[in-house]
């Protein structure tokens, strides 16, 4: 079956609703139909300063949340990026194939380095899309389930796979992005024109899945909307309401049109109250399941060890091919 690969950073502690609806939810579905590899990308995390103890704890926490979200170690390969040294090794080759100007055009770097102050941004942050290229190509992934913000990096991956194949002979599968239109970009609840992000300007706009459910309900109820009263999906005129409808629709499996119908003649308050309940019903068991995995670190670590072993067997084969094609002398 076709292969998928994706990763998530262990930086913020809790996943946010954008991570879940934009990516992780698709990962859970794809493990049924694809040969799926999913990882906690700790190498990516250190592109910005991390406290070592926190990073370690957050890596376990990310794995626990992935399991709580529905990843099944029997159906997918779940691992930690740094457990597979081939990622950093292939990244070096990819760094050497990437133009400086080409890397400079990555908009995520521009955004993130601007946030940090250009002088403080690390070279690692600059080359992080190229590490991501290596992440994907090592597994010969056919598809990469991500949110819209990652599209440019998947394009870079395609370009570099083709460049390598063209220069050295067919080696890498050229992957496609797997981005669901409906949930490709979940927006900040306070600023519905910007994407929900852990580096949001105000925590009120960010739904962390591990927050107190009560706090989550409150954030939903104080979401920014507009001065009109009609509940209609219209991303141009009504970005706030449209975002709430997307979230509501995805979490309940109810079509947007059906929701519009249901709320005809009702006010924004009714929609928000109901969505707050939907959110609470979603996050409450999610938090409990995450805690159960955290309470049993031995099981968690053994799942990750098995995942790393399986991932390494695939990654090592690809890397050794790449080393050979590039012309590295084999170690005897
Ligand atoms: N708002 C979003 N809507 C849809 N998808 C999203 N993703 C992130 N935000 C949204 C997707 O989540 C996956 C994991 O992303 P990540 O590891 O880059 O997570 P992050 O860095 O914690 O994401 P943030 O919040 O966007 O942080 P910043 O911008 O501060 O780095 C990816 O597939 C991503 O597309």
């Amino acid at each position: 079956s076709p292969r998928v690969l994706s990763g998530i950073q262990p930086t913020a502690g809790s996943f946010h609703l954008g991570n879940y609806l934009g990516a992780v939810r698709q990962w859970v579905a794809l493990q049924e139909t694809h040969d799926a590899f999913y990882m906690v990308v700790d190498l990516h995390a250190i592109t910005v300063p991390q406290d070592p103890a926190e990073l370690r704890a957050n890596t376990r926490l990310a794995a626990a949340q992935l399991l709580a979200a529905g990843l099944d170690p029997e159906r997918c390969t779940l691992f930690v990026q740094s457990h597979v040294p081939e990622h950093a090794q292939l990244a070096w080759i990819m760094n050497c194939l990437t133009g400086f100007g080409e890397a400079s055009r990555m908009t995520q770097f521009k955004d993130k380095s601007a946030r940090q102050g250009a002088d403080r941004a690390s070279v690692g942050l600059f080359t992080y899309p190229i590490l991501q290229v290596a992440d994907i190509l090592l597994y010969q992934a056919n598809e990469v389930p991500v949110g819209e913000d990652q599209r440019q990096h998947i394009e870079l991956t395609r370009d570099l796979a083709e460049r390598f194949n063209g220069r050295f002979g067919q080696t890498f599968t050229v992957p496609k992005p797997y981005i669901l239109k409906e949930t490709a970009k979940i927006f900040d609840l306070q600023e519905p024109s910007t994407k929900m992000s852990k580096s949001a300007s105000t925590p009120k706009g960010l739904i962390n899945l591990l927050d107190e459910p009560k706090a989550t309900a409150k954030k939903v109820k104080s979401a920014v909307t507009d001065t009109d009263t009609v509940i209609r999906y219209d991303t141009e005129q009504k970005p706030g309401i449209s975002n709430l409808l997307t979230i509501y629709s995805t979490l309940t499996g109810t079509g947007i049109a059906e929701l519009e119908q249901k709320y005809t003649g009702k006010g924004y308050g009714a929609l928000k109250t109901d969505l707050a309940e939907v959110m609470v019903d979603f996050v409450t068991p999610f938090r409990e399941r995450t805690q159960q995995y955290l309470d049993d670190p031995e099981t968690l670590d053994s799942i990750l060890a098995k995942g790393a072993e399986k991932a390494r067997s695939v990654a090592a084969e690809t890397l050794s091919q790449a080393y050979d094609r590039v012309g590295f002398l084999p170690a005897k």
Side-chain angles (χ1 to χ4, degrees), residues 6-12 14 16-24 27 41 108 112 115 128 145-151 183-188 194-200 206:
S6 198
I8 187 157
Q9 300 201 55
T11 38
S14 176
H16 62 70
L17 191 62
N19 297 143
Y20 176 72
L21 295 181
V24 175
W27 300 9
V41 292
Q108 279 238 337
K112 290 192 183 186
R115 248 184 262 148
Y128 132 99
V146 286
E148 183 62 39
D149 58 345
Q150 293 297 325
R151 188 185 290 278
T183 50
K185 197 167 180 184
I186 301 299
F187 295 90
D188 188 289
T194 55
K195 85 163 183 174
M196 186 178 284
S197 150
K198 64 172 185 283
S199 20
L206 174 70

Side-chain angles (χ1 to χ4, degrees), residues 13-332:
S14 176
F15 293 172
H16 62 70
L17 191 62
N19 297 143
Y20 176 72
L21 295 181
V24 175
R25 197 168 171 274
Q26 280 63 265
W27 300 9
V28 175
L30 288 167
Q31 65 182 346
E32 305 301 335
T33 49
H34 286 64
D35 183 17
F37 287 75
Y38 301 126
M39 59 182 174
V40 180
V41 292
D42 52 352
L43 298 182
H44 287 283
I46 64 162
T47 56
V48 296
Q50 298 295 329
D51 173 77
E54 248 172 55
L55 176 60
R56 206 167 286 128
N58 281 340
T59 300
R60 275 215 187 95
L61 180 57
Q65 289 175 88
L66 289 174
L67 292 164
L71 290 190
D72 175 355
E74 301 294 322
R75 292 186 162 76
C76 70
T77 305
L78 174 62
F79 64 102
V80 173
Q81 188 184 27
S82 65
H83 293 175
V84 183
E86 285 81 1
H87 290 258
Q89 293 175 287
L90 184 62
W92 179 253
I93 297 180
M94 293 299 152
N95 272 315
C96 296
L97 279 185
T98 310
F100 191 84
E102 189 176 31
S104 308
R105 284 194 289 276
M106 296 297 121
T107 55
Q108 279 238 337
F109 174 74
K110 290 187 201 167
D111 295 348
K112 290 192 183 186
S113 58
R115 248 184 262 148
Q116 289 205 11
D119 292 343
R120 286 224 229 118
S122 69
V123 175
L125 187 65
F126 181 66
T127 62
Y128 132 99
I130 302 160
L131 175 58
Q132 205 178 323
V133 169
D135 296 339
I136 298 165
L137 297 185
L138 271 179
Y139 297 92
Q140 308 285 8
N142 303 94
E143 290 179 282
V144 188
V146 286
E148 183 62 39
D149 58 345
Q150 293 297 325
R151 188 185 290 278
Q152 195 187 28
H153 296 165
I154 313 302
E155 276 307 313
L156 178 70
T157 309
R158 293 171 57 82
D159 290 347
L160 287 172
E162 281 165 0
R163 189 171 309 158
F164 189 103
N165 290 345
R167 200 171 293 176
F168 301 110
Q170 179 59 41
T171 307
F172 296 116
T173 302
V174 181
K176 288 196 192 74
Y178 179 94
I179 301 175
L180 293 189
K181 201 168 76 245
E182 299 75 16
T183 50
K185 197 167 180 184
I186 301 299
F187 295 90
D188 188 289
L189 296 190
Q190 288 299 313
E191 266 179 72
S193 56
T194 55
K195 85 163 183 174
M196 186 178 284
S197 150
K198 64 172 185 283
S199 20
S201 49
T202 147
K204 277 178 73 188
L206 174 70
I207 303 264
N208 279 317
L209 300 187
L210 296 178
D211 281 353
E212 270 299 323
K214 266 192 199 145
T216 297
K218 204 169 154 198
K219 285 182 189 178
V220 172
K221 287 182 188 162
S222 53
V224 165
T225 50
D226 52 62
T227 53
D228 187 28
T229 53
V230 183
I231 295 176
R232 178 168 50 84
Y233 186 84
D234 178 344
T235 52
E236 293 289 313
Q237 303 296 320
K238 297 172 156 285
I241 285 295
S242 301
N243 192 38
L244 296 182
L245 285 171
T246 298
I247 296 168
Y248 196 151
S249 164
T250 317
L251 287 179
T252 59
T254 318
I256 299 264
E258 205 178 314
L259 289 176
E260 287 173 338
Q261 193 100 57
K262 179 174 171 191
Y263 288 98
T264 307
K266 299 190 179 150
Y268 291 169
L271 174 72
K272 287 178 175 178
T273 304
D274 292 351
L275 178 56
E277 199 177 307
V278 166
M279 282 297 316
V280 168
D281 289 347
F282 172 71
V283 295
T284 305
F286 176 83
R287 290 175 95 214
E288 284 167 11
R289 285 195 300 268
T290 301
Q291 193 54 51
Q292 284 165 9
Y293 285 107
L294 287 178
D295 288 342
D296 185 1
E298 265 170 49
T299 302
L300 192 61
D301 289 354
S302 103
I303 290 171
L304 295 174
K306 280 201 198 100
E309 195 185 336
K310 183 139 175 257
R312 266 203 96 166
S313 70
V314 176
E317 192 182 323
T318 310
L319 183 76
S320 92
Q321 270 179 23
Y323 267 35
D324 181 61
R325 297 276 152 82
V326 165
F328 290 159
L329 180 68
K332 282 275 181 254

